[in-house]
Amino acid sequence: MNALAELRRRFAAALEGLADEPAALAEMVLPSQDPKFGDYQANCAMPLGKRLKKPPREVAAELVDRVAEQEGFAAMCEPPEIAGPGFINLRLRDDWLAAQLAAALRDERLGVAPAESPRRFVIDFSSPNVAKPMHVGHIRSTVIGDALARVLRFLRHEVITDNHIGDWGTQFGMIIYGYKHFRDEDALAASPVAELGRLYKLVNQIADHQATVAEKLPALSEKIEAADERVAKMRTAPSSGDEKKEKQAAKQLRQAEGSLADLRKEFAAAETKVAAFEADPVLGEISREHPAIGAKALAETAKLHSGDPENVGLWERFLPACLEELQKTYDRLHVGFDHTLGESFYQDRLAGVVDGLKAKGLATQSDGAQCVFLDGFDAPFLVQKKDGAFLYATTDLATIQYRAEEWKPDAVLYVVDHRQSLHFEQLFATAAKWGYDELELTHVAFGTVLGEDGRPYKTRSGAAVGLMGLLDEAVDRARAIAEKSQVLETDAERSEVAERIGIGAIKYADLAHNRTSDYTFSYDKMLAMTGNTAAYMQYSVARVKSIFGKGNIDVERLRSSSAGLTLAEPAERAIGIELLRFSEALERVAAEYRPHYLTGYLFDLAQRFAEFFEQCPVLKAEDEATKRSRLLLCDLVGRTLELGLELLGIRTVERM
């Protein structure tokens, strides 16, 4: 049972007739921050007293009377206490708590009730470009999306997962151009994806260099000249004689000087990059022999999209190897999808999308392109270029249309980098005007993985860190933990444990952070055996299992026995309360799409178990009844930790 939800339901009923929105005010029933103030605390009397122009303690007393009269409340809670200005402290009865835990022991769902109103979700996550290896930037979308799918499914929502891969865009034009001019047949035969990745990187690098020389540097130079003139004028401006205005002018001058300095730094960095490129004789020669390579790659993309037999043939040849390589990473992460419908799947719908928008008067021509102008946005939402080419926006609209028609979801979640926020705001606004205003569309945004320098995590050369290499490194480091273990007997067992610890460390470290925050990537921190890490969680599970192993306890027999649960010691009761809050954590994850609520809960539970284990002997308990009761608590802790980690996509170990 979700005790918090039950208490909120009871307070909402008690607030009827006193508050305009009793259910909303009942949300102020929260877990207590300090056990001495009870298990839960209702804080709604203060705002309600202000609204009713009554003393909060008087309002609290009336609420307590109303709640106490409800059927079943006295069996659930001790008599409520009013504290301070009107806080209502609530303490669960020990016998009621023990009964809930006993019921959870007999339940494979551990007492977590299915959602009262199941919904159908589509979760769009991971979505890499298939033409290049996955890198560190893909880890967040992949593990957050997978964890949300697992939690929502466990709560009995219907979930459809879709990996909307980039298999049709500009990157394939670059690969096709690279294949036609720079391919290494032996390398292609030996490792197709590695060679295709090399070709993409080469063409992209040359295109970027040419664009920097032809466009970026001249544009920066103009900006610097204009900023320089502005600073010079501000420095020579006559004094106004007004102290307040002078302070404001000085502040504006500092800001202008800072902007000028930033522009000069950007220009210097671009010049350094250009110099490094031109110092490479091979790259320099290729660039001279292939001018405007970016435009030529775009032309190859256009030919692919128009059905050119040669380019379509190359795309069909390259795609299977790319997908196979991606699957290796997903298999390693134990992540799966119901569908993998990439950009190419929607190509035959794009013209119809634009026609549909025009028919509704939403898309209009601007400078030859088709745009949707939306209130509240400075720039229009571009759905077709003036050369007739379609864009990501067009594909995303076609995706919404297809999903709504075929899957009929209640909600679609897009687990995508926060830097795409503007795109999704415009996409959702356009979709609503197009007729999908009743479909819930949510951008589940996330922050950036940073290096120790506080910048996006990259290799020393400045390249994005490959995801498979990241996983390999984590497993190699986890091997050191496995090697120190005195209980792992074979090399195969140590290898399997290292794989689970290493992969789990990467996933858990990501999920343990609030998804909207950036976080610093650190192998040492994520593989630590203490603190909120996967290794500590996995160790906690193994520790519980070791108790049953040392005591030669038949767990199934214990569960089916007549052994009772008692919560006589404070540490026993504390762990009982924490176990009861499992469903609260899951429902919070589902409500806000934030897996870190579950990692935080599991860490709290593991800490309570450590305190319990230290204070309450289990196998050496004072009598058999106490021993069995504590074994039942251990069993419930182990199962809850194991299930919680499974819902995060993290595998546990039997021994560690």
Side-chain angles (χ1 to χ4, degrees):
M1 171 184 279
N2 186 330
L4 178 60
E6 174 63 13
L7 288 171
R8 285 176 173 172
R9 184 188 68 77
R10 289 181 176 276
F11 269 82
L15 285 161
E16 287 287 350
L18 296 176
D20 295 333
E21 297 181 356
L25 201 55
E27 292 294 312
M28 296 186 73
V29 178
L30 298 166
S32 175
Q33 297 298 306
D34 189 330
K36 71 182 180 183
F37 298 125
D39 303 318
Y40 296 89
Q41 194 171 66
N43 304 327
C44 43
M46 281 76 77
L48 186 57
K50 187 176 182 181
R51 197 176 309 163
L52 298 175
K53 295 183 169 54
K54 289 184 178 181
R57 286 185 66 90
E58 182 181 321
V59 173
E62 184 174 353
L63 285 175
V64 166
D65 289 343
R66 288 186 174 206
V67 169
E69 291 172 355
Q70 294 173 357
E71 184 179 352
F73 180 80
M76 179 182 184
C77 287
E78 301 286 355
E81 297 177 356
I82 300 172
F87 299 112
I88 302 172
N89 296 334
L90 303 160
R91 179 183 170 88
L92 301 177
R93 288 176 57 94
D94 288 354
D95 55 350
W96 184 88
L97 176 57
Q100 301 307 309
L101 299 176
L105 279 163
R106 299 188 297 271
D107 180 9
E108 63 178 12
R109 296 179 56 81
L110 304 182
V112 179
E116 290 183 5
S117 302
R119 307 177 76 203
R120 179 178 294 170
F121 288 89
V122 170
I123 306 182
D124 180 326
F125 68 101
S126 195
S127 308
N129 284 326
V130 302
K132 45 188 178 179
M134 291 175 72
H135 56 76
V136 66
H138 294 112
I139 189 68
R140 300 217 71 181
S141 176
T142 304
V143 302
I144 292 170
D146 181 56
L148 292 178
R150 289 169 182 264
V151 169
L152 290 169
R153 279 185 176 134
F154 181 73
L155 293 175
R156 298 284 171 81
H157 295 287
E158 184 179 354
V159 178
I160 300 167
T161 55
D162 187 10
N163 191 6
H164 185 57
I165 56 174
D167 64 350
W168 195 247
T170 305
Q171 77 274 13
F172 265 101
M174 290 186 172
I175 287 175
I176 290 170
Y177 186 88
Y179 173 83
K180 291 180 177 180
H181 297 90
F182 313 123
R183 71 181 182 272
D184 181 329
E185 288 288 4
D186 292 337
L188 193 64
S191 181
V193 176
E195 174 61 5
L196 294 177
R198 182 190 73 83
L199 294 174
Y200 168 81
K201 183 179 177 182
L202 175 63
V203 175
N204 191 47
Q205 186 179 10
I206 296 167
D208 180 64
H209 167 74
Q210 292 175 350
T212 299
V213 172
E215 300 166 19
K216 187 175 182 178
L217 285 175
L220 281 173
S221 184
E222 287 183 14
K223 287 181 181 180
I224 290 170
E225 185 178 350
D228 213 354
E229 288 180 7
R230 181 167 178 254
V231 168
K233 284 181 181 179
M234 294 174 75
R235 285 173 176 167
T236 57
S239 174
S240 66
D242 184 312
E243 184 179 352
K244 187 175 181 181
K245 289 182 178 179
E246 285 301 305
K247 283 185 178 179
Q248 188 176 12
K251 182 180 179 181
Q252 291 173 342
L253 175 59
R254 288 194 300 273
Q255 290 173 339
E257 288 173 336
S259 297
L260 176 59
D262 289 343
L263 285 170
R264 284 176 171 158
K265 283 180 185 177
E266 189 178 356
F267 186 86
E271 278 194 318
T272 301
K273 192 174 178 181
V274 167
F277 182 97
E278 292 178 347
D280 186 316
V282 175
L283 288 175
E285 184 177 351
I286 294 174
S287 182
R288 288 188 292 273
E289 291 177 355
H290 297 266
I293 198 170
K296 292 172 182 175
L298 285 174
E300 296 291 357
T301 305
K303 286 170 65 178
L304 171 65
H305 291 178
S306 65
D308 175 76
E310 181 185 14
N311 283 12
V312 170
L314 289 172
W315 177 80
E316 290 174 342
R317 174 185 169 188
F318 298 153
L319 189 59
C322 294
L323 294 176
E324 185 179 338
E325 193 69 18
L326 280 182
Q327 192 57 47
K328 290 178 184 177
T329 303
Y330 291 131
D331 288 345
R332 191 105 183 260
L333 290 169
H334 291 267
V335 171
F337 301 90
D338 298 316
H339 302 277
T340 299
L341 303 181
E343 295 166 351
S344 62
F345 180 81
Y346 298 97
Q347 289 309 297
D348 60 355
R349 288 174 166 259
L350 302 187
V353 167
V354 176
D355 289 342
L357 292 170
K358 288 195 289 187
K360 282 209 165 190
L362 296 174
T364 55
Q365 193 174 89
S366 177
D367 294 330
Q370 290 295 328
C371 304
V372 177
F373 289 88
L374 300 161
D375 294 337
F377 295 95
D378 294 331
F381 196 47
L382 191 63
V383 294
Q384 188 174 25
K385 294 180 180 179
K386 61 182 178 182
D387 63 2
F390 301 110
L391 299 101
Y392 289 123
T394 332
T395 305
D396 283 344
L397 287 167
T399 304
I400 290 172
Q401 182 187 56
Y402 175 83
R403 289 168 174 167
E405 292 174 355
E406 295 296 319
W407 299 334
K408 298 176 174 55
D410 298 300
V412 183
L413 309 183
Y414 295 83
V415 187
V416 182
D417 191 312
H418 71 98
R419 288 171 290 189
Q420 297 295 318
S421 293
L422 177 60
H423 168 76
F424 283 107
E425 287 173 15
Q426 291 185 302
L427 173 67
F428 298 163
T430 302
K433 285 181 173 290
W434 195 25
Y436 298 100
D437 50 319
E438 293 187 5
L439 175 59
E440 180 185 313
L441 301 170
T442 301
H443 178 201
V444 181
F446 54 82
T448 305
V449 182
L450 305 176
E452 298 286 355
D453 59 359
R455 298 179 179 179
Y457 189 47
K458 295 182 181 295
T459 63
R460 289 182 180 178
S461 65
V465 178
L467 182 50
M468 193 63 91
L470 200 77
L471 300 178
D472 288 338
E473 176 73 12
V475 171
D476 287 344
R477 289 177 180 240
R479 180 74 189 211
I481 297 174
E483 292 290 352
K484 292 177 184 176
S485 173
Q486 297 179 349
V487 299
L488 302 178
E489 299 173 352
T490 67
D491 191 61
E493 190 178 11
R494 283 187 285 271
S495 295
E496 177 62 21
V497 167
E499 179 77 12
R500 294 191 178 204
I501 293 174
I503 303 299
I506 295 282
K507 297 174 82 170
Y508 192 95
D510 195 295
L511 295 169
H513 290 85
N514 188 334
R515 61 171 168 78
T516 52
S517 302
D518 299 339
Y519 76 91
T520 301
F521 188 93
S522 168
Y523 285 114
D524 291 338
K525 289 180 181 177
M526 65 178 57
L527 285 163
M529 292 296 294
T530 57
N532 191 12
T533 66
Y536 178 62
M537 296 300 116
Q538 290 165 321
Y539 169 72
S540 298
V541 173
R543 191 180 192 183
V544 172
K545 291 179 182 292
S546 72
I547 294 171
F548 291 91
K550 287 177 183 177
N552 196 27
I553 307 296
D554 185 329
V555 181
E556 294 297 333
R557 187 175 178 182
L558 175 70
R559 290 174 193 162
S560 60
S561 72
S562 60
L565 256 174
T566 57
L567 306 170
E569 296 295 327
E572 292 174 320
R573 191 179 188 285
I575 207 167
I577 288 292
E578 204 65 57
L579 286 164
L580 193 67
R581 289 178 174 162
F582 184 37
S583 58
E584 296 174 19
L586 295 180
E587 290 184 20
R588 201 173 178 195
V589 172
E592 299 184 37
Y593 310 131
R594 295 180 189 272
H596 80 280
Y597 291 137
L598 179 52
T599 61
Y601 166 79
L602 295 175
F603 180 52
D604 287 343
L605 178 59
Q607 287 184 304
R608 297 294 84 75
F609 175 72
E611 293 164 2
F612 160 81
F613 189 75
E614 184 179 329
Q615 297 171 26
C616 302
V618 178
L619 296 178
K620 295 182 179 180
E622 54 267 32
D623 55 59
E624 188 64 21
T626 303
K627 174 183 172 181
R628 289 190 176 191
S629 173
R630 290 176 180 172
L631 281 168
L632 288 172
L633 277 177
C634 290
D635 178 39
L636 199 49
V637 168
R639 290 164 66 192
T640 303
L641 289 173
E642 201 159 16
L643 175 56
L645 289 171
E646 180 186 331
L647 295 178
L648 295 171
I650 294 170
R651 296 184 295 165
T652 55
V653 295
E654 293 291 319
R655 304 191 297 173
M656 189 168 165

